[in-house]
Amino acid sequence: MTTIRNAARLAALTAAIAAATTVHTFAQTPEQFYKGKSIELAIGYPPAGSNDFYARLLTRHLGKHVPGNPNIVPQNRPGAGSFLTLAYVYGVAPKDGTVIGIGAPTAPLDEKLGTQGVRFKTAELNWIGRIDSLINIVFTWHTSPVKTVGDAFKTEAKLSGTGVGSTVSIYPTVMNRVLGTKFKLVMGYKGSNDAQLAVERGEVEGHSTSWTAVKVAHQDWRPDKKINILVQFSIKKHPELQDVPTVVELARDDVDRQVLSAVVNAAEIGTSFFTAPNVPKDRVDVLRRAFDATMKDPEFLAEAQKTQLTVGPLPGEELQKLVADVAAIKPDILEKVRAAYATGN
């Protein structure tokens, strides 16, 4: 009987200790939780592209604004147009606020369309904030016979392409299907940096990527007229590209306009960062406010300006709504977007 009583007391003591430990864990403040820890910033792209530039810029400044000052560690996790990183943060990464990711701005639309490789639900991710909108362009090398968007309707131009889910491939494909341009994608390049070098080497005539990626990696290309910028994938013109038509301007009718607008709304999501679902709310709030503070940090802004990275931030709460708004696309327009969005020429 004594043995039974002792066993019961031991079990009760063990349960009490476990309960106390659990209470202590949940009672931790964000500062206590993050102190001495590292936050992984999972980058869904290879090094040297615009998303990589932005992500690494963020890693150098975000930690000082997070209570507890955790170390921010960048980790490139390329693959499937960043879908692998989105799936990692959504389903594999710890749900405790120690992993932040950046992936394709088209991800919410890809999810709604049922694009192959989507293993995530974007509305369930906790969106932290956006550094800038992300306007893509199509450019051709100066030796190409395709020098204007008008030429692209008459003459085929070979463009270097990367992952199926990347805007690098999606945007020219949409132009072909909706407007009738003759871009031909040559797939298989590891990232936008390799794809741009392929243009310079003469392997292809042009490439579609973000304007930021071009001007940061090759600052002389446009001033020295080495490239022709044919079109920008946005609803509003970028301040630096006032002489370049938007793809929406090229729409032949209202239906084309709605389809193209739905696709390029990804530009508004832009270079945005998210953490996993089910992260405790206080940690999500802390990460969002730290991100907002970073966007106003003089040292962050000075480094962005030095590297020619533009900053047009959006808070996490507004970004969360923007992602959710994709669900509001009308069914008839969604079907037309689906038809335009399929990979291929």
Side-chain angles (χ1 to χ4, degrees):
M1 183 67 72
T2 302
T3 302
I4 295 173
R5 279 199 297 268
N6 287 341
R9 286 171 184 165
L10 180 60
L13 180 61
T14 301
I17 292 171
T21 302
T22 301
V23 169
H24 174 73
T25 299
F26 282 101
Q28 277 187 308
T29 65
E31 182 173 6
Q32 290 169 329
F33 174 77
Y34 281 116
K35 190 172 181 63
K37 284 189 170 63
S38 293
I39 294 176
E40 177 190 345
L41 204 166
I43 306 168
Y45 305 91
S50 63
N51 287 294
D52 185 63
F53 290 138
Y54 272 115
R56 289 176 182 275
L57 173 63
L58 186 67
T59 64
R60 292 191 285 273
H61 299 275
L62 180 66
K64 59 188 171 184
H65 298 289
V66 177
N69 305 125
N71 188 31
I72 314 295
V73 181
Q75 179 68 50
N76 293 91
R77 293 178 175 271
S82 83
F83 283 8
L84 294 185
T85 287
L86 281 149
Y88 163 70
V89 177
Y90 177 79
V92 180
K95 308 297 188 284
D96 60 0
T98 57
V99 176
I100 295 171
I102 178 173
T106 57
L109 184 57
D110 280 302
E111 180 194 342
K112 189 164 181 66
L113 291 169
T115 301
Q116 185 177 0
V118 170
R119 298 192 303 277
F120 47 81
K121 295 183 179 179
T122 50
E124 292 181 11
L125 294 165
N126 286 291
W127 293 81
I128 303 303
R130 181 193 81 186
I131 295 183
D132 197 19
S133 57
L134 186 63
I135 293 180
N136 276 41
I137 60 172
V138 171
F139 71 85
T140 56
W141 199 241
H142 62 92
T143 55
S144 171
V146 178
K147 300 185 183 302
T148 68
V149 73
D151 295 335
F153 288 94
K154 297 173 288 187
T155 304
E156 181 182 276
K158 292 182 180 179
L159 307 181
S160 47
T162 57
V164 171
S166 170
T167 53
V168 166
S169 306
I170 289 168
Y171 285 160
T173 298
V174 168
M175 279 193 73
N176 287 347
R177 292 183 177 273
V178 176
L179 300 175
T181 47
K182 298 181 181 295
F183 297 122
K184 182 176 178 60
L185 287 164
V186 179
M187 303 294 282
Y189 291 92
K190 292 180 180 179
S192 188
N193 189 53
D194 283 350
Q196 289 184 68
L197 291 175
V199 178
E200 196 169 27
R201 291 193 298 262
E203 295 173 18
V204 290
E205 293 170 69
H207 181 53
S208 176
T209 190
S210 74
W211 166 230
T212 299
V214 175
K215 71 175 184 177
V216 170
H218 305 282
Q219 296 180 16
D220 62 321
W221 275 10
R222 196 180 191 213
D224 292 352
K225 298 183 179 180
K226 292 183 178 180
I227 59 171
N228 312 296
I229 300 180
L230 311 186
V231 63
Q232 56 183 304
F233 296 98
S234 60
I235 295 173
K236 297 179 181 178
K237 289 185 176 182
H238 189 283
E240 297 170 349
L241 300 173
Q242 290 296 310
D243 58 334
V244 178
T246 70
V247 70
V248 177
E249 289 177 59
L250 302 175
R252 296 165 296 186
D253 53 41
D254 192 53
V255 172
D256 282 1
R257 193 170 296 106
Q258 289 182 64
V259 171
L260 293 168
S261 295
V263 173
V264 300
N265 267 342
E268 286 304 305
I269 294 174
T271 48
S272 292
F273 298 82
F274 48 83
T275 189
N278 302 319
V279 172
K281 185 178 182 302
D282 60 343
R283 292 178 201 163
V284 173
D285 290 342
V286 156
L287 290 173
R288 284 175 170 174
R289 300 295 75 82
F291 187 93
D292 294 345
T294 304
M295 296 303 100
K296 300 174 183 176
D297 184 330
E299 292 179 356
F300 169 84
L301 292 171
E303 187 177 352
Q305 184 176 25
K306 183 179 179 180
T307 53
Q308 296 197 40
L309 295 174
T310 54
V311 177
L314 194 68
E317 290 84 353
E318 291 183 39
L319 189 56
Q320 197 85 40
K321 291 177 183 176
L322 190 61
V323 170
D325 284 346
V326 175
I329 299 174
K330 295 178 182 179
D332 59 329
I333 296 300
L334 182 64
E335 288 309 307
K336 293 182 183 300
V337 171
R338 191 190 308 281
Y341 214 67
T343 304
N345 289 298

